[in-house]
């Protein structure tokens, strides 16, 4: 979808102070040197006791709102995305984030689609704010704290390592430092079993067992009717098509892109699915920096955007791609055009 008069007015991020290294996890027997060599992660940030996804999202959200210059009453939508436990069950974390950031009477919703949640929220919010003349801005947040025994950040998945933190973005129809030129989403529900792979449960977190993401994948891959090559072909085709489509709608070429901001996936996956398959120049990404963060729930692309603003002096006319993918499977990609270098990045 090509957008007119849609802007990014502010971004924010929050990373907990404590850092845990892969070397420490290996020494403790919670990770292996072989996985570290293959996946590339150096370290992660670890939330303090009592620090949850929503509390960190609220910090990032307040930063994004302050940077946006928008008054609280201008916000007509709040969307919060996440992957893991948010600190309480049968609760509304999106409304908590709203209360702790902009308050008011705007609608507040959760957006969940695995690791693609934040990018999905961007696509949904774009449609919402541009179709309602009484809505000027939307606040998007994503936040997660991955804790045992629910999720083992170093062991639940054989490839991805999860880091704690949060990101936020203000989408506006009035003004901003960057224009949203286009967004595009595509899904393939035939791949949904890859993220399920086990029997149903009657309650959340049954028997207190750690979630086994790798075990679910293995169950899917060992199914008699499973064609691994066909699944890989589907994923590859949708990764390529989603990028091609958003570039087409934005009327730009991949060679025009200065910043390509994707998720902090494992080195082996990034090398194949981003740099090899798509032909992305690794130097345009924040991936090498992101290997010190792990995959921060749904928020990697916006945390990367905040990082390039702070460290790479984007100039008017510079283009950025924000790229997301999540189990289900759903892919969402956006193209932004910088109109100015934000004051907070100077």
């Amino acid at each position: 979808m090509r957008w007119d008069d849609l802007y990014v007015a502010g971004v924010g991020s929050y990373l907990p102070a404590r850092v845990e290294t892969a070397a420490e996890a290996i020494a403790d027997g919670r990770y292996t040197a072989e996985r570290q060599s293959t996946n590339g992660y150096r370290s992660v940030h670890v939330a303090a006791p009592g620090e949850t996804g929503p509390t960190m999202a609220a910090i990032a959200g307040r930063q994004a709102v302050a940077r946006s210059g928008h008054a609280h009453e201008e916000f007509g939508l709040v969307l919060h995305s996440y992957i893991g436990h948010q600190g309480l069950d049968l609760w509304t974390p999106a409304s908590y984030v709203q209360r702790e950031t902009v308050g008011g009477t705007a609608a507040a919703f959760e957006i969940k689609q695995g690791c693609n949640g934040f990018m999905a929220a961007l696509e949904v919010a774009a449609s919402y704010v541009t179709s309602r003349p009484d809505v000027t801005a939307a606040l998007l947040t994503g936040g997660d704290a991955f804790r045992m025994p629910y999720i083992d950040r170093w062991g639940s998945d054989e490839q991805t390592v999860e880091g704690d933190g949060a990101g936020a973005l203000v989408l506006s129809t009035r003004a901003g430092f960057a224009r949203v030129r286009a967004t595009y989403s595509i899904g393939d529900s035939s791949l949904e079993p890859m993220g399920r792979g086990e029997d149903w449960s009657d309650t959340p977190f049954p028997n207190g067992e750690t979630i086994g993401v790798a075990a679910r994948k293995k169950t899917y891959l060992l199914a008699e009717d499973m064609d691994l090559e066909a699944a890989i072909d589907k994923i590859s085709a949708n990764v390529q098509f989603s990028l091609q489509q958003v570039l087409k709608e934005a009327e730009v070429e991949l060679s025009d892109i200065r910043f390509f901001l994707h998720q902090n996936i494992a080195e082996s996956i990034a090398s194949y699915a981003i740099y090899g398959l798509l032909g992305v120049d690794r130097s345009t990404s924040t991936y090498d920096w992101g290997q010190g963060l792990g995959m921060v729930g749904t928020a990697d692309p916006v945390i990367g955007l905040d990082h390039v603003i702070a460290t790479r002096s984007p100039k008017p006319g510079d283009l950025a791609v924000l790229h997301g993918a999540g189990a289900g499977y759903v892919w969402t990609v956006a193209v932004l055009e910088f109109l100015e270098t934000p004051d907070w990045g100077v």
Side-chain angles (χ1 to χ4, degrees):
M1 177 70 185
R2 181 177 176 88
W3 300 102
D4 296 312
D5 301 320
L6 181 64
Y7 306 93
V8 177
V11 295
S13 58
Y14 176 79
L15 297 170
R18 181 188 164 199
V19 174
E20 183 176 70
T21 67
E24 291 171 330
I26 292 169
D28 291 343
R30 293 177 289 122
Y31 201 42
T32 68
E34 180 182 4
R35 286 189 183 181
Q36 197 279 329
S37 176
T38 301
N39 300 333
Y41 296 108
R42 299 186 305 272
S43 61
V44 296
H45 289 254
V46 178
E51 211 168 31
T52 68
T55 62
M56 293 187 288
I59 295 171
R62 287 192 291 270
Q63 184 180 55
V65 171
R67 289 171 167 178
S68 76
H70 284 57
H72 289 187
E73 57 268 22
E74 294 183 277
F75 286 82
L77 179 69
V78 176
L79 300 179
H80 177 63
S81 63
Y82 58 91
I83 296 175
H85 182 61
Q86 294 289 284
L88 292 169
D89 289 322
L90 294 178
W91 178 58
T92 54
S95 294
Y96 169 86
V97 171
Q98 178 183 16
R99 180 178 181 274
E100 294 293 313
T101 54
V102 297
T105 59
F109 303 124
E110 298 175 22
I111 301 290
K112 293 194 68 178
Q113 194 59 42
C115 303
N116 194 52
F118 198 105
M119 292 302 298
L122 176 60
E123 178 90 286
V124 171
S127 297
Y128 193 98
V129 300
T130 56
S131 65
R132 295 172 180 254
D134 60 329
V135 174
T136 300
L139 174 62
L140 286 55
T141 64
D144 271 292
F146 299 97
R147 290 189 168 96
M148 287 286 285
Y150 182 64
I151 293 179
D152 179 356
R153 70 175 77 250
W154 296 103
S156 283
D157 193 331
E158 292 181 352
Q159 295 174 308
T160 302
V161 170
E162 284 81 22
D164 300 342
L169 180 149
V170 173
L171 203 61
S172 172
T173 57
R174 190 186 78 200
F177 68 85
R179 179 166 70 95
V180 181
R181 292 187 62 151
T183 60
Y184 185 79
S185 294
I186 188 172
D188 188 337
S189 61
S190 71
L191 297 167
E192 176 274 327
M194 188 180 295
R196 176 165 38 94
E198 56 187 34
D199 295 332
W200 305 110
S201 63
D202 294 328
T203 61
F205 197 27
N207 304 317
E209 296 176 356
T210 302
I211 290 177
V213 177
R216 293 179 179 181
K217 292 179 182 177
K218 186 174 294 185
T219 299
Y220 173 75
L221 295 174
L222 292 177
E224 292 184 5
D225 59 348
M226 168 45 202
D227 186 334
L228 176 59
E229 186 173 339
I232 293 174
D233 288 345
K234 286 181 179 181
I235 292 172
S236 299
N238 283 313
V239 170
Q240 291 174 300
F241 182 77
S242 57
L243 178 61
Q244 292 166 356
Q245 193 66 21
V246 79
L247 293 175
K248 178 181 177 181
E249 294 182 2
E251 298 182 341
V252 298
E253 302 291 336
L254 182 59
S255 58
D256 298 325
I257 304 301
R258 182 179 176 193
F259 306 112
F260 196 100
L261 309 174
H262 63 85
Q263 295 155 307
N264 300 327
I265 50 183
E267 171 78 29
S268 54
I269 301 175
S271 295
Y272 168 74
I274 302 295
Y275 310 124
L277 183 67
L278 299 179
V280 171
D281 183 345
R282 185 168 178 144
S283 68
T284 64
S285 77
T286 59
Y287 183 65
D288 293 324
W289 169 76
Q291 286 178 312
L293 307 183
M295 181 177 283
V296 187
T298 68
D300 288 343
V302 71
I303 292 175
L305 179 62
D306 196 21
H307 180 69
V308 300
I309 291 171
T311 62
R312 300 193 190 178
S313 300
K315 299 175 177 59
D318 283 346
L319 299 171
V321 164
L322 275 61
H323 186 279
Y329 260 77
V330 178
W331 296 262
T332 300
V333 193
V335 175
L336 310 182
E337 177 187 357
F338 280 89
L339 305 177
E340 60 186 54
T341 302
D343 292 342
W344 71 83
V346 176

